[in-house]
Amino acid sequence: MASGREKAYAYLKDTVLTDPEMQGAFLSEQELADRIGVSRTPIREALLMLAAEDLVELVPKRGARVAPLTGREVRELMELRGLVERYAAERLVAAERVPLEELRSLLEQQRALTGAEETHEFIAVDHRFHASLVAAVGNTLLDRHYDGLRSRQVRAGVVAVFNRQGRQKAVLDEHEAIVDALAAGDAQAACAAIDHHLRSTLKVLLDG
């Protein structure tokens, strides 16, 4: 069973920090404690953990503030994702180990989640789509490194969808292009499709 700190950490990271309306907002420890069903101590412990990851800022006499994604952070996130995901695509095509069935299944799940109220689930599946590609390489350290980007990746994805009407449809098209290139065994085309997808997301985020 998860401890109070673990429950608070997971809730904050997966729910509060990915809410576009919470970007830059101060958090109420008591409100969070009531919502999660724990005391304030696990909330404080979880906030310290998130502060160590630069996901929240601890402001003296004011409390914890959700650290908004900066333009620099978004650029660096997309650059790092590109390096990892292109590497995965190249390795998997060369080894003929592309997880096509899993990727297609996740893409179909996303197609069923295009309502505005399903944005968070849409982006959660989006992350699983990309993470499954990386995981198929079979490098545990790489998996751990990529999973460390999850909170920022999900937050950026949710904000992008909220910022641009039609972004969900564009994401589906971009994912389909990645899958088609991988299915064809064309690593160069797959890398180009990954780059296009990440550049498109970056542009939406920077345009606001």
Side-chain angles (χ1 to χ4, degrees):
M1 179 180 294
S3 67
R5 181 183 63 182
E6 291 168 338
K7 286 172 61 178
Y9 176 82
Y11 181 83
L12 285 163
K13 196 166 187 178
D14 296 336
T15 303
V16 176
L17 298 186
T18 59
D19 185 344
E21 295 184 359
M22 294 301 296
Q23 306 311 300
F26 279 91
L27 302 172
S28 166
E29 290 183 6
Q30 188 60 58
E31 182 182 332
L32 289 168
D34 292 342
R35 194 185 307 175
I36 300 169
V38 298
S39 69
R40 292 177 65 173
T41 298
I43 300 295
R44 292 194 190 102
E45 293 173 344
L47 289 171
L48 286 171
M49 293 168 65
L50 293 167
E53 298 177 42
D54 294 325
L55 294 173
V56 301
E57 301 167 346
L58 300 181
V59 182
K61 299 181 180 179
R62 294 205 61 186
R65 172 177 179 262
V66 178
L69 285 170
T70 65
R72 175 177 177 176
E73 190 172 11
V74 170
R75 289 188 186 92
E76 290 178 351
L77 171 65
M78 296 306 166
E79 182 178 359
L80 188 52
R81 283 187 57 192
L83 289 170
V84 174
E85 292 177 30
R86 288 193 303 270
Y87 169 79
E90 290 171 347
R91 285 290 304 273
L92 294 172
V93 168
E96 297 183 350
R97 288 193 291 110
V98 178
L100 286 173
E101 185 175 341
E102 183 176 4
L103 292 173
R104 286 173 173 149
S105 174
L106 289 166
L107 183 53
E108 288 309 307
Q109 288 180 46
Q110 275 196 297
R111 290 191 196 283
L113 296 167
T114 54
E117 71 283 358
E118 297 170 316
T119 297
H120 281 82
E121 182 61 23
F122 179 91
I123 295 301
V125 178
D126 179 279
H127 172 75
R128 292 202 295 273
F129 177 91
H130 293 277
S132 67
L133 184 67
V134 176
V137 173
N139 185 315
T140 303
L141 289 177
L142 188 66
D143 287 349
R144 192 179 305 164
H145 174 76
Y146 189 81
D147 190 61
L149 305 176
R150 181 170 61 88
S151 180
R152 288 179 174 85
Q153 181 177 341
V154 170
R155 193 191 329 182
V158 171
V159 172
V161 168
F162 270 88
N163 282 356
R164 179 70 56 84
Q165 186 175 6
R167 181 59 193 155
Q168 285 175 299
K169 172 63 166 59
V171 167
L172 292 171
D173 291 343
E174 290 159 16
H175 280 187
E176 188 168 11
I178 293 170
V179 172
D180 287 347
L182 291 169
D186 190 335
Q188 185 175 354
C191 290
I194 289 168
D195 282 341
H196 173 69
H197 177 50
L198 297 178
R199 281 197 306 268
S200 297
T201 303
L202 177 61
K203 186 176 188 306
V204 172
L205 290 167
L206 295 181
D207 287 350

